Amino acid sequence: RNGIKGSNLEQLYPPTTVKNLAFSYDYKGFTSTFSGKYHGASYIDVANEFTTPEFVIFNTSLGYTYKFYSLYFSVINLTNKSYFTNGNTDAEGNKYFFANAPRNYSVTFRFKV
């Protein structure tokens, strides 16, 4: 827990709580993974008056490994949730958030020498 010594103010941006949970199953070279992440609210102003909303996102991946090769397909932000991990305020107290990526995909190919 970070803060300013002698005050009740919290550090900007990092949330007080982040929780990750993942389930993985392997069978004869195939791998399947499902994970979830909870990200608590984060302060976006020095006075600790404004925060980003808390959120939960889910990810999944499927993969196959054969000898020295592996191929993985991943989906990040499975539910296509709009979420924010950073933001700012102006002099009038208006909040501005920086959006994170919507649902996105990746393919990974690995070769071990």
Side-chain angles (χ1 to χ4, degrees), residues 27-64:
Y27 181 74
K28 295 186 179 181
F30 289 95
T31 300
S32 174
T33 302
F34 180 80
S35 64
K37 176 184 180 180
Y38 166 79
H39 189 282
S42 302
Y43 288 108
I44 59 173
D45 68 316
V46 180
N48 288 173
E49 294 177 17
F50 302 103
T51 62
T52 60
E54 61 186 25
F55 64 87
V56 175
I57 61 168
F58 299 99
N59 308 311
T60 190
S61 68
L62 298 170
Y64 180 70

Side-chain angles (χ1 to χ4, degrees), residues 70-101:
S70 61
L71 182 66
Y72 289 88
F73 175 73
S74 300
V75 181
I76 292 84
N77 193 5
L78 197 59
T79 59
N80 203 29
K81 181 173 183 70
S82 295
Y83 66 101
F84 315 97
T85 54
N86 202 338
N88 205 347
T89 60
D90 62 18
E92 288 80 41
N94 297 311
K95 296 188 276 186
Y96 300 94
F97 298 116
F98 303 106
N100 286 55

Side-chain angles (χ1 to χ4, degrees), residues 3 5 9 29 44 51 59 91 93 104 106 111-112:
K5 190 172 183 175
L9 296 177
I44 59 173
T51 62
N59 308 311
N104 59 91
S106 70
F111 173 74
K112 292 183 183 180

